[in-house]
Amino acid sequence: MNKKIDQLAADNIRALAISMVEKANSGHPGGAMGGADFMHILYTEYVDFDPTEMDWKFRDRFFMDAGHLSALMYSQYYLLGNYKKEDLQNFRQWGSVTPGHPEVDVLRGIENTSGPLGQGHAMGVGAAIAAKFLEARFKGLFNHKIYGFITDGGVQEEISQGAGRIAGHLGLNNFIMFYDSNDVQLSSMTDEVTSEDTAMKYEAWGWNVITIDGHDHEQIRKALNEAHAESDKPTLIIGKTIMGKGCVTATGAMYEGECELHGKPIGDTKADYVKTLINLNANPENPFAIFEEVETHYAKILAIKAEKSAYKKIQITSWRKENPELSEKMDLFLSGKLPELDLSSVIQKPNAATRDASSAVLAYLAENVENMIVSSADLSNSDKTDGFLKKSSVLQKNDFSGAFLQAGVAELTMTSIANGIALHGGVIPVVATFFVFSDYMKPAIRLAAIQELPVKYVWTHDSFRVGEDGPTHQPIEQEAQIRLMEKIKNHSGNQSLLALRPADAIETSVAWDMALKNTKTPTGLILSRQNIKDIPAQGTSRYEEATEATKGGYLVKSTQNPDITLIANGSEVATLLEAAVILEKSKNLKINVASIISEGLFKEQSKSYQESIIPKGKLVFGLTAGLPVNLEGLIGDSGKVIGLDHFGYSAPASVLDEKFGFTSEHACAAILKYIEENK
């Protein structure tokens, strides 16, 4: 421990952070200056990682909540050798590896994409849950720590309540979060916004709370030591810090703790950029330099980190020799691959609701996939994730042998936690709620799509057929909103999310198979509350025919040279099949019916395949229980879609079907009218 070096290193981080923002003429310097002391002590003395293998599975993790403090992270990781000087100089520029808010880049130390406040906090909780889950199965190997960093805005975001409650309830003593409490927000001082006692709030949730001077290195060490020794609770370290620590004016007078230092370059405030660099012992002629003494110190630190991780690797190797079967299982978990599964063997009840069909699959997965955590927002007996729960048990404080997380009524928190589980690795997260409440989940779904995380969403009660619960619980626009994500490419150039609305129980089994095999993006399963008539097999195996859903769409009823093609997904497919049978008998029409489980996936197929399902220039009629836009991208110039343009009403599902025109008889009338109009 060298007080001079520690102070110099923290000031070096400050100088680098303000220089990045100054050169980019964009960013957030003040908070980075305030958090520099904690970051330096944390990374040099506490965080365990292997500098030669930054993605080492047994490393500690650091989850940043306050993504606007990216300059703090990049500066710290520059000292650790993860970034080059040129990277910092290109902060927030096109093509740089130092974007305005940090984006997952594990090899450089960035564990999560952050920006929307509060979600980084919850992702850290998710990673801590994943580590506890794995530690319960591989004792002594996943006892690493998950560190978090949050600011006033993140604490205020509503999601922090859910994350704080769950972390405390589960006793996540492996989660240690630093709260950079500087009393300054982007547009105001904190006391203009809140008067709550944050420490008491977290204590009420069951956290160990320590309040310190966030610039006192001895207090930081003492708090981290206490957090490491805590065996029963997560720890919140409230560090009282100063916004813009070290800033001075042109006259050399201190200018700290001011609101304007939060979100713009130092040179655009009453502080002076050059004089502040000098005050921080930096050279204004070379502001992106690592101080010589700091560079020497960090070289020693990195050697210590490498030596410590090498020792743990020897221990892991020894464990593997003593536990060959567990070792093989652990490798399978960490690979992200699945064991051999046969979802065609899952027995589905006739004419089942697709939520019940999903339940049957989940029961099978509970017995065959050992590294899956399923979570429900207080709806397991309605979204039918209890199919999994009945074969497993609930995760509890001091007992992570189970695999079901009762999240409570906290859809956004639950979904962000799932992102953290996926980011940690080794565990497959599944989350469930009613489809209408996907609205609450959307910010975390978006981050899952951006981070390319294979989270599985189970959304049940997928249409107005929820019935008596009325318009607040009947999804009308939700499918359109989710399918927009199918139209957005992620940075790998892939469809950012896969949305699947299966037409019957067997297709639900296939949809689950598709979801499990999709390891590159999140997948949503959109499932019915009400029973759906089974799609009859055209040949000998309905399951084999349903595997054509892997192309996004296929014919469930096929004939040569059809007069018209009917398209739908979900329960409307069965309605159109009934209508087709009626019209073929009564009007001597030749009709094809297609189940388009995913428009995005269907449009990734060859043009010839798409046109073999939906012929170009021919009559196409679509039926959807949501907005017509759900199918309008598939029908061509002369096609027609019947959907809803209004919210639902409270009444039994069968009554709503009749009132809204979603019976086979109504469909027949609409189809005949469409044909007549296009003669």
Side-chain angles (χ1 to χ4, degrees):
M1 165 185 330
N2 185 317
K3 290 184 179 180
K4 178 186 174 185
I5 288 293
D6 288 333
Q7 187 59 54
L8 204 57
D11 284 343
N12 200 167
I13 292 169
R14 293 183 177 98
L16 291 167
I18 65 170
S19 297
M20 293 170 69
V21 174
E22 203 74 20
K23 187 174 188 300
N25 195 31
S26 174
H28 300 260
M33 300 177 81
D37 296 287
F38 179 80
M39 285 291 278
H40 164 69
I41 298 299
L42 178 71
Y43 264 94
T44 55
E45 299 181 29
Y46 292 89
V47 178
D48 288 336
F49 64 95
D50 182 357
T52 68
E53 188 184 355
M54 290 298 294
D55 58 351
W56 184 42
K57 303 295 187 183
F58 305 94
R59 67 190 182 279
D60 290 341
R61 270 81 161 170
F62 176 84
F63 279 75
M64 174 58 82
D65 187 86
H68 59 280
L69 298 187
S70 58
L72 171 61
M73 300 179 75
Y74 302 145
S75 298
Q76 176 65 73
Y77 299 159
Y78 175 39
L79 299 189
L80 292 169
N82 295 350
Y83 289 92
K84 300 175 183 176
K85 180 186 289 189
E86 294 75 24
D87 296 331
L88 271 64
Q89 291 171 327
N90 287 321
F91 178 54
R92 290 187 165 221
Q93 305 308 302
W94 174 261
S96 75
V97 295
T98 49
H101 288 79
E103 299 170 20
V104 172
D105 189 350
V106 173
L107 294 180
R108 290 187 175 89
I110 309 294
E111 298 283 357
N112 66 298
T113 297
S114 57
L117 295 177
Q119 289 197 58
H121 177 193
M123 284 187 272
V125 170
I129 289 171
K132 285 280 189 183
F133 178 92
L134 292 169
E135 175 65 10
R137 287 148 180 81
F138 310 104
K139 299 269 192 271
L141 299 189
F142 293 91
N143 54 358
H144 50 262
K145 298 296 184 184
I146 312 297
Y147 298 97
F149 190 112
I150 200 166
T151 55
D152 292 294
V155 167
Q156 289 164 25
E157 274 288 357
E158 291 90 339
I159 190 175
S160 72
Q161 174 168 318
R165 170 181 58 79
I166 290 172
H169 179 69
L170 292 177
L172 299 178
N173 66 306
N174 58 340
F175 187 55
I176 300 168
M177 185 165 68
F178 180 73
Y179 167 28
D180 185 57
S181 177
N182 55 39
D183 300 324
V184 180
Q185 303 198 184
L186 182 61
S187 66
S188 71
M189 302 302 286
T190 305
D191 61 9
E192 298 175 48
V193 174
T194 181
S195 56
E196 75 175 11
D197 188 322
T198 303
M200 288 183 69
K201 179 172 72 173
Y202 276 85
E203 285 170 357
W205 288 328
W207 288 57
N208 171 37
V209 180
I210 309 165
T211 301
I212 63 170
D213 177 345
H215 300 302
D216 186 316
H217 296 178
E218 282 305 308
Q219 289 189 40
I220 293 170
R221 289 188 183 97
K222 184 178 178 182
L224 284 168
N225 289 339
E226 182 180 327
H228 273 246
E230 174 60 55
S231 61
D232 198 48
K233 302 175 180 179
T235 295
L236 178 70
I237 300 171
I238 301 177
K240 303 303 294 183
T241 61
I242 299 172
M243 173 70 68
K245 174 70 172 173
C247 282
V248 297
T249 65
T251 64
M254 298 306 299
Y255 188 76
E256 301 173 326
E258 300 293 334
C259 186
E260 68 168 344
L261 296 172
H262 190 300
K264 57 184 177 180
I266 296 299
D268 291 347
T269 72
K270 295 182 184 68
D272 185 88
Y273 169 60
V274 172
K275 288 294 179 68
T276 297
L277 283 175
I278 294 170
N279 185 52
L280 296 171
N281 298 297
N283 178 3
E285 299 297 318
N286 190 13
F288 290 94
I290 299 177
F291 303 163
E292 186 176 343
E293 291 174 84
V294 173
E295 188 169 25
T296 301
H297 178 65
Y298 268 81
K300 294 176 182 176
I301 292 296
L302 291 171
I304 293 170
K305 300 284 187 190
E307 183 179 352
K308 188 173 182 180
S309 57
Y311 178 70
K312 180 155 187 176
K313 287 179 180 181
I314 292 171
Q315 293 178 306
I316 293 170
T317 299
S318 176
W319 178 89
R320 286 183 179 279
K321 290 178 180 177
E322 294 172 5
N323 302 277
E325 290 184 9
L326 276 178
S327 179
E328 187 176 337
K329 180 185 292 187
M330 182 176 71
D331 286 340
L332 178 65
F333 286 11
L334 296 177
S335 72
K337 297 177 182 177
L338 290 164
E340 288 295 322
L341 300 173
D342 179 13
L343 296 192
S344 69
S345 68
V346 175
I347 304 300
Q348 295 291 7
K349 294 179 180 178
N351 306 315
T354 52
R355 65 167 175 165
D356 291 321
S358 172
S359 182
V361 174
L362 282 166
Y364 172 87
L365 295 177
E367 295 180 324
N368 290 277
V369 180
E370 295 182 64
N371 63 324
M372 177 178 283
I373 292 178
V374 176
S375 185
S376 176
D378 193 39
L379 289 170
S380 58
N381 54 349
S382 290
D383 58 36
K384 297 302 180 181
T385 49
D386 59 357
F388 187 96
L389 177 56
K390 288 171 184 175
K391 304 275 186 174
S392 182
S393 60
V394 174
L395 297 175
Q396 301 178 61
K397 184 176 183 177
N398 299 321
D399 183 3
F400 282 75
S401 60
F404 197 94
L405 174 61
Q406 291 286 21
V409 186
E411 293 86 357
L412 176 56
T413 300
M414 173 182 71
T415 313
S416 286
I417 283 174
N419 288 347
I421 290 171
L423 285 166
H424 182 280
V427 186
I428 301 166
V430 178
V431 295
T433 188
F434 292 171
F435 192 32
V436 75
F437 300 142
S438 63
D439 287 353
Y440 283 127
M441 303 165 70
K442 183 61 165 55
I445 296 169
R446 188 170 190 269
L447 276 190
I450 289 173
Q451 294 176 103
E452 303 179 21
L453 303 177
V455 180
K456 321 301 177 191
Y457 309 117
V458 176
W459 291 311
T460 67
H461 297 59
D462 68 346
S463 73
F464 64 81
R465 298 179 186 93
V466 172
E468 292 88 345
D469 279 339
T472 60
H473 283 55
Q474 294 174 21
I476 304 299
E477 73 278 18
Q478 278 72 20
E479 184 179 350
Q481 293 171 174
I482 290 300
R483 291 212 182 276
L484 284 175
M485 300 298 293
E486 288 197 314
K487 300 178 188 295
I488 300 173
K489 301 290 186 186
N490 58 32
H491 286 172
S492 295
N494 297 318
Q495 178 183 322
S496 74
L497 179 141
L498 179 63
L500 304 172
R501 188 169 179 241
D504 69 353
I506 297 298
E507 203 174 290
T508 302
S509 292
V510 172
W512 257 112
D513 191 55
M514 294 166 68
L516 291 165
K517 289 175 179 174
N518 178 23
T519 59
K520 294 182 178 180
T521 69
T523 304
L525 300 172
I526 305 170
L527 307 171
S528 75
R529 176 199 187 193
Q530 82 286 357
N531 292 345
I532 300 175
K533 289 183 179 179
D534 289 335
I535 307 299
Q538 297 187 80
T540 58
S541 170
R542 169 64 185 136
Y543 188 91
E544 185 177 338
E545 291 170 13
T547 60
E548 290 294 295
T550 58
K551 298 174 183 175
Y554 68 108
L555 293 175
V556 296
K557 180 184 178 305
S558 177
T559 185
Q560 292 294 317
N561 301 313
D563 297 308
I564 187 171
T565 299
L566 311 181
I567 67 171
N569 59 38
S571 52
E572 291 86 271
V573 176
T575 303
L576 289 181
L577 270 172
E578 283 188 5
V581 171
I582 294 169
L583 291 173
E584 283 183 332
K585 288 182 178 179
S586 64
K587 301 297 180 180
N588 200 30
L589 291 170
K590 297 173 71 177
I591 301 175
N592 279 0
V593 181
S595 172
I596 311 295
I597 194 171
S598 164
E599 178 187 354
L601 188 56
F602 181 69
K603 287 190 170 180
E604 287 186 350
Q605 308 307 311
S606 66
K607 287 292 183 184
S608 61
Y609 179 77
Q610 291 182 49
E611 290 178 13
S612 73
I613 306 302
I614 306 176
K616 191 174 182 180
K618 299 292 184 70
L619 296 182
V620 181
F621 178 92
L623 183 67
T624 174
L627 298 176
V629 73
N630 291 339
L631 299 175
E632 285 176 345
L634 297 164
I635 61 171
D637 295 334
S638 60
K640 182 174 182 63
V641 176
I642 298 294
L644 290 179
D645 60 0
H646 56 79
F647 292 119
Y649 293 87
S650 178
S654 59
V655 174
L656 295 178
D657 266 329
E658 180 66 35
K659 295 291 186 183
F660 294 167
F662 281 81
T663 64
S664 56
E665 292 78 11
H666 281 96
C668 285
I671 292 164
L672 288 173
K673 181 181 178 183
Y674 165 63
I675 292 173
E676 186 65 28
E677 290 171 348
N678 283 273
K679 279 185 177 178

